[in-house]
Amino acid sequence: MVAGPLAGMVMAEQGADVIKVELPDGVGDRMRFLGTRRNDIGALYHGVNRGKRSVVLDSKTDEGLAALRKLIATADVFIQNFRPGAAERMGLGEAELRADHPDLIYVSVSGFGPDGPRSGERVYDYVIQAMSGMAALQTDHHGHPTLIKSVVVDKVTALTVSQAITAALFHRQRGHGGQHIQLSMLDTCLL
């Protein structure tokens, strides 16, 4: 919910033209409703989406999917923050997009990576803090593990993603083509 959108915001602040795609379900990104709100939009949503343009497309329809693929064909980078397999089921997997756009930098951000026993599970920052041992390093005065209350794993993952995108763009500029960047929140935390 945060790592992919925040990576896009970092790229926007570095000068990229970033377009956020939302579904026309009347709700859009669920982060709109988290935390302190102003004009019914949460602060976290504003924080991770500033500097972006926005478009509403229904990728569940043939017309919406065609419009999205047309938009992606003009892009340098495509960031998806779904659980592994979701983009492929939508017709937006790396192989499908690479066939039409060989120089695309395709970015997959997930909780546990593309495969393995937990790859399809939902994950949140505090889960990765616990699994990575980060919470155990932040003990209270009784020695009990504590969480960092600032979605730090999402933030570190987003910064890692944005750096990887910059490196991939440089690699492509040198004539080496597009890449598929796969980063998990757990791997980023264990580095």
Side-chain angles (χ1 to χ4, degrees):
M1 285 178 55
V2 175
L6 183 57
M9 184 277 296
V10 170
M11 299 307 296
E13 290 201 341
Q14 292 177 349
D17 180 15
V18 179
I19 302 171
K20 178 181 181 64
V21 177
E22 293 188 69
L23 292 172
D25 60 3
V27 176
D29 189 327
R30 304 277 185 284
M31 281 196 320
R32 290 176 182 271
F33 308 103
L34 298 177
T36 303
R37 286 188 265 168
R38 183 175 203 169
N39 298 326
D40 288 329
I41 298 188
L44 182 59
Y45 178 85
H46 280 297
V48 300
N49 288 298
R50 67 179 178 259
K52 298 178 186 179
R53 293 190 292 152
S54 181
V55 65
V56 174
L57 290 172
D58 189 350
S59 59
K60 295 178 183 179
T61 67
D62 291 339
E63 300 82 24
L65 184 59
L68 182 53
R69 289 180 69 103
K70 187 175 179 180
L71 181 62
I72 293 168
T74 68
D76 291 306
V77 179
F78 177 73
I79 301 172
Q80 60 93 358
N81 198 170
F82 301 115
R83 282 180 276 173
E88 288 76 11
R89 288 189 297 277
M90 296 168 66
L92 298 170
E94 190 262 342
E96 292 93 348
L97 297 184
R98 175 99 34 236
D100 297 332
H101 194 346
D103 285 338
L104 183 68
I105 308 300
Y106 187 99
V107 183
S108 301
V109 183
S110 64
F112 297 109
D115 50 34
R118 303 195 105 167
S119 65
E121 293 180 19
R122 288 180 190 225
V123 69
Y124 298 97
D125 193 277
Y126 63 88
V127 172
I128 299 298
Q129 284 189 49
M131 290 183 74
S132 68
M134 183 181 291
L137 293 172
Q138 309 301 320
T139 58
D140 63 17
H141 63 280
H142 296 293
H144 300 123
T146 59
L147 298 173
I148 299 171
K149 299 174 184 167
S150 176
V151 294
V152 67
V153 174
D154 280 294
K155 291 175 181 177
V156 169
T157 302
L159 293 173
T160 304
V161 167
S162 63
Q163 177 57 42
I165 290 169
T166 301
L169 288 167
F170 182 71
H171 182 79
R172 187 180 74 186
Q173 184 179 1
R174 293 281 174 117
H176 302 292
Q179 293 184 22
H180 185 185
I181 298 169
Q182 297 181 48
L183 283 165
S184 78
M185 292 170 65
L186 182 60
D187 288 341
T188 300
C189 234
L190 294 173
L191 288 176

